[in-house]
Amino acid sequence: MWPSQLHKKPYVTPQSTIAPFKLTVQASECGQVDCTRSRHLYQISRFPSAESVLRIWKSLKLAHLQRLSNMEVSYGAPPESVQKKFALPVDSEHKATEFRLFSVAAPHMRAFHLSWVSFFACFVSTFAAPPLLPIIRDDLDLTATDIGNAGIAAVSGAAFARVAMGTACDLFGPRLASSALTLITAPAVYCTAIANSPASFILVRFFTGFSLATFVSTQFWMSSLFSSKVVGTANGVAGGWGNLGGGATQLIMPLVFDLIHNIGATKFTAWRIAFFIPALFQTLSAYGIFFLGQDLPDGNYSQLHKSGDKHKDNFSQVFYHAITNYRGWILALTYGYCFGVELTIDNIIAQYFYDRFNVNLHTAGIIAASFGLANLFSRPAGGILSDIMSKRYGMRGRLWALWIFQTLGGIFCIFLGKVGSLGVSIAVMIIFSVFVQAACGLTFGIVPFVSRRSLGIVSGMTGGGGNVGAVLTQVIFFRGSRYSTETGITLMGIMIICCSLVIMSIYFPQWGGMFCGPSSKVTTEEDYYMSEWNSAEKERGIHMASMKFSENSRSERGRRVESAPTPINGTPTTQTLSSALEFVKRKEHAEKITIKPIKEYAHTTSTSICPSKLEIDIASIPKSLIIYTNKFFIAKPKFLAILGD
Amino acid sequence: MAIQGFLVVSLLFSCLAATSYGVTFSSLQESLVVTASPKHGQVLRAGEDNIVVTWSFNKSLAAGTDSSYKTVKFKLCYAPVSQQDRAWRKTEDHLNKDKTCQHNIVTKPYSSSNNTFTWTAERDVPTATYFIRAYAYNSADHEVAYGQTTDAHKTTNLFNVQAISGRHVSLDIASICFSAFAVVSLFGFFFLEKRKAKKSQAK
């Protein structure tokens, strides 16, 4: 903005280095610049070298000093907190910018492994009954209606639980929320062993199904620990490997059952004992999360709330901003037609192959398992693809990829219902599973950007939408004998294609939508995320996390990041400041540098000619003052006077 | 051209024949008379109560009919009321697809009269309403005849079996203990969390 002034450096004459005294600060060579701007005094936590300070000074000039003085810009934890060293490279929010699958370093990768393992355990528990149904239905005297209702019950509880989980994550943090839910649903799995009637069976499946809400805490946790460059990948791998449990359980439970039966238990006892395995696994994973996990790179919610580093947010505000954001609702609907379809297929596909192609039950079970096992690579692939598209095309790329993959999933679903031979049917099913699961991964590449303040509830709504889709689809197409299974599958495919069309209506003013570019009146990421906070809250400074997120989400512009528009409402681009601080950090080998504006000296002159004189009373400033010039330093630096122009 | 057509047709025919070779129930002759000790509506406990089955060849039929019978297999079959809304117990005419009789009782060599045996209902028999059916097999192990304790509409002489529940007191106690442990540790988590937060505040 003042390119011609960049070479002008502040020049000050210290009169004394011993407090208290009066210091005269003179700014010279302002040239043609209007000297009605204020002077700002900044406290810098660590005395940097000349080059560093010059860098900071330049960036402060570029960063609209006026506005900047109203914000606290910190590049690290407040000085009182403990210094943290991260094993992975991190950004300004301490979110990891790399995803290293084979590391268990705390807090990022460790949290990743804990969360996917516990989500896997919950999936195993929820779908542990279907492979053992031939035994259970004889023991409990179940009818086909009972079995259908139990299947619907298993996925319906989580529809609401996922939204509640989202709220809990926003307020209490994902670690406590997910370990609490996993522990509280474990009794339902233990009590499956003592079920003795169709009603009790439906009840235990209903309550066990609540544990599927740990999906939301997984996605929320990954979105809190991984930066926008890798958030799609992290979300996709965590979600995919958890969903794997639905396929793995079709193989695990029959094996466990056979083992126990061979040891000597009768069939009707063996299946009951078998349920202790998923229950114990679930309990242990909850313990793992509680003791080894951490909500945020800087600590846990409860600690950060108490130390004041994290503000405890207001539930009604968080809720309001979640439900008034239409993008959350659209993604909830579309997720119902990728993940909901996946859950439906998990429930009906074994029976479909058994009835239509007359394979035996074991073979049908293996085919059903392979559908779920495709999650090992297909959902992560969706997440990775989302990040790749974003690098090149930004958010628009993510939206297009989601629409294309979900529509292709619908097309292959239509084929699946039409194909009449076993081999081709299995092949089509696998291709269909890859597209549908990749679409799930792609959805959660977009969800972290819909809202920052209400991330948990939006994730919960989307996840819950998946379950609602599963319930709706099963009730409309796969209940009773209105449609044969193959007709139901074809109709489901048509519904997938129709419901995916709404993705076209998602529009982010700062990044654009599928068919439109970003808004013609220049909008920035800050405008979008700051609209979730009112001015009273901004004054209290509790919106800072969203501020940092806005800056980091600039990568969603795709290749256009270099030509970022200057915001017209005056919001400063802090990118230059943080890159300057990054430079300083590296140069000074300092973990953190804080720059805090402490005083603003309003000074006006009526002439356009500087120099102007500014007198600062040292006694009024708590710490010793140092004024920097490009020529010499004074000992005990704590303050840096930056004089505007 | 004609030869190709003939080849295709014979191939198809042999495939069809192979798949449909299975014997159908409607082709079997009811030539065995089977009676069982349970009265209509009696409830037997699985693993405890006995069934005495008496069977013989139906003397009113021609003498040489049973010349091909080699073995007789007895099965416990579901009555229609236990098949309702349960597609996995459906009755099909093709015997290799038929799911009516899923529990084997015993296999005996064929003899035309004075046959009885006693059978204890096994512990994996589910709770349902049953009748007993006997299939007579020839030396190629295909069904050739049958007999059952009930009538053609499967309405008379049906008895119930009450299955074991599979539950044990030790299992019940284990479930409840583990569940209680999970809930208690949850409260432990909350307590620990509060304490940690207070500590960091005090620091």
Side-chain angles (χ1 to χ4, degrees), chain A residues 138 141 144-145 175 287 302, chain B residues 85-86 89 165 172 185 193:
Chain A
D138 279 343
D141 201 19
T145 311
R175 169 182 153 261
Y287 270 76
S302 52
Chain B
D85 205 10
R86 292 174 175 89
R89 293 177 183 170
S165 74
D172 291 356
S185 36
E193 194 69 9

Side-chain angles (χ1 to χ4, degrees), chain A residues 182-487:
Chain A
T182 312
L183 263 189
I184 206 98
T185 48
V189 192
Y190 287 118
C191 290
T192 312
I194 56 179
N196 61 356
S197 65
S200 55
F201 181 67
I202 293 179
L203 271 177
V204 290
R205 281 210 76 188
F206 176 66
F207 286 113
T208 308
F210 275 72
S211 65
L212 286 185
T214 45
F215 167 74
V216 177
S217 62
T218 306
Q219 303 292 293
F220 182 95
W221 210 353
M222 295 302 103
S223 304
S224 310
L225 293 174
F226 290 91
S227 78
S228 46
K229 294 193 196 83
V230 288
V231 73
T233 307
N235 277 345
V237 183
W241 289 11
N243 281 9
L244 208 58
T249 194
Q250 310 259 9
L251 300 172
I252 294 175
M253 290 307 283
L255 276 174
V256 171
F257 168 78
D258 277 338
L259 196 70
I260 299 175
H261 186 39
N262 289 338
I263 289 181
T266 61
K267 282 203 283 188
F268 289 169
T269 307
W271 76 262
R272 294 169 185 279
I273 301 178
F275 267 82
F276 274 79
I277 306 296
L280 281 168
F281 184 22
Q282 206 176 310
T283 314
L284 284 172
S285 68
Y287 270 76
I289 290 190
F290 181 77
F291 288 109
L292 300 173
Q294 193 175 296
D295 288 316
L296 292 168
D298 297 327
N300 289 315
Y301 272 42
S302 52
Q303 279 167 267
L304 297 174
H305 283 160
K306 284 259 152 44
S307 67
D309 295 332
K310 186 175 186 341
H311 161 75
K312 192 165 184 176
D313 211 342
N314 176 306
F315 168 68
S316 54
Q317 284 289 314
V318 169
F319 190 71
Y320 173 77
H321 286 291
I323 60 176
T324 50
N325 194 329
Y326 75 94
R327 300 169 195 85
W329 292 103
I330 294 186
L331 287 174
L333 173 64
T334 63
Y335 197 60
Y337 285 92
C338 55
F339 182 64
V341 162
E342 187 184 331
L343 286 180
T344 304
I345 296 277
D346 274 338
N347 268 336
I348 61 138
I349 199 75
Q351 238 171 289
Y352 173 69
F353 277 94
Y354 182 77
D355 288 338
R356 192 161 184 210
F357 300 105
N358 295 317
V359 297
N360 66 34
L361 207 63
H362 254 263
T363 312
I366 293 179
I367 298 176
S370 66
F371 176 84
L373 290 174
N375 264 304
L376 178 70
F377 56 86
S378 52
R379 188 167 175 146
I384 294 173
L385 179 67
S386 190
D387 286 336
I388 292 177
M389 291 298 280
S390 157
K391 225 185 275 188
R392 189 100 202 277
Y393 302 108
M395 176 55 69
R396 296 181 72 183
R398 293 191 197 256
L399 289 168
W400 271 99
L402 173 61
W403 180 74
I404 291 175
F405 269 66
Q406 194 152 323
T407 307
L408 279 171
I411 292 176
F412 279 96
C413 190
I414 297 178
F415 284 165
L416 182 63
K418 298 265 181 223
V419 151
S421 88
L422 179 62
V424 181
S425 190
I426 295 181
V428 172
M429 184 199 77
I430 302 227
I431 299 177
F432 161 62
S433 73
V434 168
F435 280 112
V436 141
Q437 289 158 7
C440 295
L442 285 159
T443 309
F444 274 86
I446 298 176
V447 166
F449 298 100
V450 169
S451 161
R452 179 64 187 86
R453 187 174 188 182
S454 314
L455 172 66
I457 300 190
V458 171
S459 301
M461 273 164 60
T462 309
N467 284 68
V468 170
V471 171
L472 268 177
T473 314
Q474 282 177 88
V475 166
I476 298 176
F477 299 124
F478 299 107
R479 197 171 180 232
S481 21
R482 189 142 162 246
Y483 300 109
S484 66
T485 312
E486 53 263 30
T487 315

Side-chain angles (χ1 to χ4, degrees), chain A residues 448-633:
Chain A
F449 298 100
V450 169
S451 161
R452 179 64 187 86
R453 187 174 188 182
S454 314
L455 172 66
I457 300 190
V458 171
S459 301
M461 273 164 60
T462 309
N467 284 68
V468 170
V471 171
L472 268 177
T473 314
Q474 282 177 88
V475 166
I476 298 176
F477 299 124
F478 299 107
R479 197 171 180 232
S481 21
R482 189 142 162 246
Y483 300 109
S484 66
T485 312
E486 53 263 30
T487 315
I489 292 180
T490 304
L491 290 173
M492 183 168 72
I494 296 178
M495 198 155 181
I496 295 175
I497 297 181
C498 293
C499 289
S500 306
L501 289 172
V502 292
I503 298 175
M504 298 181 177
S505 66
I506 296 185
Y507 179 74
F508 287 92
Q510 72 273 29
W511 297 317
M514 272 175 74
F515 296 113
C516 315
S519 163
S520 51
K521 45 182 192 79
V522 174
T523 325
T524 62
E525 289 78 8
E526 275 89 5
D527 297 326
Y528 178 77
Y529 292 109
M530 287 302 111
S531 62
E532 297 179 323
W533 301 91
N534 61 37
S535 45
E537 290 163 336
K538 282 190 212 173
E539 215 137 285
R540 287 161 57 202
I542 58 180
H543 63 296
M544 291 314 297
S546 290
M547 204 61 203
K548 289 184 205 168
F549 179 76
S550 334
E551 194 184 308
N552 291 324
S553 68
R554 231 175 286 278
S555 56
E556 293 309 302
R557 295 185 188 194
R559 287 264 165 86
R560 295 185 301 111
V561 177
E562 282 68 65
S563 52
T566 315
I568 55 167
N569 68 351
T571 316
T573 53
T574 52
Q575 194 174 34
T576 44
L577 177 61
S578 41
S579 63
L581 288 170
E582 176 83 279
F583 169 85
V584 168
K585 181 192 122 164
R586 268 184 275 126
K587 186 128 178 62
E588 308 295 327
H589 307 292
E591 290 308 309
K592 55 159 178 61
I593 293 263
T594 340
I595 288 196
K596 218 162 43 170
I598 55 165
K599 220 158 168 84
E600 184 182 340
Y601 297 89
H603 188 96
T604 58
T605 63
S606 53
T607 70
S608 61
I609 300 166
C610 294
S612 54
K613 238 193 238 183
L614 187 65
E615 288 192 316
I616 302 172
D617 186 351
I618 303 286
S620 68
I621 299 167
K623 295 193 171 104
S624 61
L625 180 71
I626 201 68
I627 310 294
Y628 164 73
T629 73
N630 62 337
K631 295 225 191 282
F632 57 90
F633 304 96

